[in-house]
Amino acid sequence: MLEPLSQKPTFPHRHLLGIAGLSAQDLTFLLDLAEEAVGVSRQIEKKRTSLRGRTLINLFFEASTRTQSSFELAGKRLGADVMNMSVATSSVKKGETLLDTAMTLNAMRPDIIVVRHAKAGAVHLLANEVDCSVVNAGDGAHEHPTQALLDALTIRRNKGRIEGLVVAICGDILHSRVARSNILSLSALGARVRVIGPSTLLPAGIENMGVEVFRRMEEGLAGADIVMMLRLQRERMDGGFIPSLKEYFRFYGLDEEKLALAKPDALVMHPGPMNRGVEIASRVADGPQSRIREQVEMGVAVRMAVLEALSQHLPNG
Ligand code: NCD
C-alpha cells in the first residue's frame, strides 16, 4: 500500500474463493499487506488510490453486519465505488436465480464482486460465470477465507507468531465455515489446531483435516494459547443437535472457570455475532483476555489487503 505492488512478491490468484489452494507464502503475503493497512486505517487520512475508478459490488444473500460493512469500508478506503446489494431488496425475492442475478450484475462491469451465500459452492459457481474477480464472504458451511485471515492477523499481532501455537476452536464445528477456513490457514502457518465440541456438532472425519479432536472442554482447553469460540449456527440446524441452550452453556460455554484451564496468557476470540450466555459468558467476552474487538478492526485491514492483492489481476491492474 505504501509502495506499488509490482515491487513486491505477487499474489498469483484472480479470485479468493477459500483458504484451500493458498500456500503459506500467499497467506503471509496477505497478512503482511494487511499489517500495512492497519497503519493506514489508524491515520486521520485513510484514503488510498489503488482501486480508484474500480467498482466493487457486495452481493449478500445472507445477513451480515461486520463482514459486509468491513468490505464496504475497505473498498472505499482504497478508492473504489462500492455498491451494496442485499437479497431482501433484490429480484431474488421475485424468483431470479443466483446465476441470473450474477449475470445481470456482471453486465454492469464491476471489477470485484464480494459474495455471501447460504449454499456451499455457490461462490465458486458464480466465479466461473462472471468476468471480474470474486471474493467469498462465506458460502454455507464451507469457507470464509477473510475471517480466517483476520483471525490469523489478530493472533500474529498479539503473539508475534503463529507457528507452534495451540489453537482450540470450540463449539459448532459442523456448521462453521469459520472453523474450516481457520483449520486450513492456521495449519498451513504451523499452528497445532484442536477442535472441541459435542459429537453431534463435530463433522465425521474432521481428524482427516489434521486436527486433534476433543469432546470435553476440560481436555481440549488444557495448554491452549488461543481459545476461539463459535456461534451455534441454529439457522443451519434442522433437528435436535443440542439438548437445550442452558445445557450447552454448562458443558461448552466459555466462562472464567473453563478459560482458566487454558494457558494464563491465552487469548479469547469469537468471529461474531456472539450469543452471550450460550457459547460465551459476558465476563469472558468483555474480559482482559478477549480480542474480539480487535478482530473487527483487523477485518477491515485484511479486506483492504485482499482487494489490493486481487486488483493487480484486473484489466490494466
Ligand atoms: C461468521 C459467519 O458469518 O460465518 N460471522 C462473521 O462473518 N463475522 C460466523 C457466524 O455467523 O457465526
Side-chain angles (χ1 to χ4, degrees):
M1 237 153 278
L2 302 175
E3 50 179 304
L5 267 172
S6 55
Q7 291 172 20
K8 297 187 168 186
T10 52
F11 184 72
H13 308 275
R14 189 161 81 93
H15 305 297
L16 180 68
L17 302 181
I19 298 294
L22 299 187
S23 63
Q25 194 187 354
D26 294 336
L27 295 169
T28 304
F29 172 79
L30 291 173
L31 296 180
D32 292 346
L33 204 53
E35 199 69 63
E36 290 177 51
V38 175
V40 171
S41 293
R42 287 183 178 181
Q43 293 167 9
I44 293 170
E45 169 60 59
K46 301 173 179 60
K47 278 274 197 194
R48 288 295 180 269
T49 55
S50 39
L51 289 188
R52 189 163 61 194
R54 304 290 187 182
T55 301
L56 170 75
I57 297 182
N58 267 332
L59 177 58
F60 277 63
F61 293 90
E62 268 191 346
S64 171
T65 307
R66 58 216 90 214
T67 304
Q68 181 169 336
S69 54
S70 63
F71 268 112
E72 181 176 354
L73 273 183
K76 287 180 171 167
R77 284 184 187 169
L78 296 178
D81 291 318
V82 183
M83 194 189 84
N84 289 314
M85 272 211 44
S86 65
V87 166
T89 53
S90 80
S91 292
V92 175
K93 281 276 182 243
K94 301 179 186 169
E96 188 173 74
T97 66
L98 166 69
L99 284 183
D100 283 334
T101 307
M103 292 323 290
T104 301
L105 294 175
N106 190 51
M108 298 179 191
R109 299 190 165 269
D111 297 288
I112 302 179
I113 301 186
V114 176
V115 193
R116 168 170 286 191
H117 197 279
K119 290 267 185 299
V123 182
H124 279 74
L125 189 75
L126 193 141
N128 289 333
E129 300 296 326
V130 297
D131 301 312
C132 59
S133 288
V134 173
V135 180
N136 183 358
D139 63 328
H142 179 227
E143 278 231 43
H144 191 354
T146 55
Q147 179 68 45
L149 287 164
L150 77 88
D151 290 336
L153 184 64
T154 306
I155 295 172
R156 198 178 76 167
R157 285 171 64 90
N158 278 278
K159 295 285 184 190
R161 68 191 164 103
I162 290 175
E163 195 169 0
L165 294 179
V166 176
V167 182
I169 307 179
C170 317
D172 185 358
I173 312 290
L174 180 65
H175 300 103
S176 178
R177 53 198 177 205
V178 175
R180 210 165 309 276
S181 290
N182 261 305
I183 291 169
L184 293 169
S185 66
L186 295 171
S187 305
L189 294 169
R192 285 176 47 201
V193 183
R194 301 174 177 175
V195 295
I196 317 174
S199 298
T200 49
L201 295 177
L202 289 167
I206 183 77
E207 51 287 333
N208 297 335
M209 289 188 82
V211 295
E212 283 181 273
V213 183
F214 295 87
R215 287 175 181 74
R216 285 168 48 85
M217 292 285 267
E218 289 69 18
E219 289 159 14
L221 289 179
D225 296 286
I226 307 288
V227 183
M228 194 181 283
M229 300 309 297
L230 299 173
R231 184 176 64 86
L232 272 183
Q233 308 260 312
R234 278 183 281 169
E235 72 276 22
R236 299 190 212 287
M237 297 181 189
D238 54 5
F241 284 85
I242 53 162
S244 73
L245 295 182
K246 207 168 148 213
E247 185 103 333
Y248 183 80
F249 182 73
R250 192 167 137 229
F251 289 101
Y252 294 98
L254 189 67
D255 54 13
E256 287 169 314
E257 204 180 316
K258 293 196 195 77
L259 179 57
L261 301 164
K263 286 202 182 141
D265 61 349
L267 300 179
V268 174
M269 300 173 65
H270 191 305
M274 278 186 282
N275 287 149
R276 291 168 183 264
V278 177
E279 70 265 359
I280 191 164
S282 275
R283 286 173 70 94
V284 172
D286 305 326
Q289 287 166 271
S290 172
R291 291 297 177 275
I292 296 171
R293 279 192 213 141
E294 188 176 333
Q295 285 174 272
V296 178
E297 182 186 1
M298 295 309 125
V300 179
V302 147
R303 284 157 188 140
M304 286 171 78
V306 167
L307 297 177
E308 171 129 347
L310 295 179
S311 74
Q312 64 186 307
H313 299 290
L314 298 175
N316 307 319

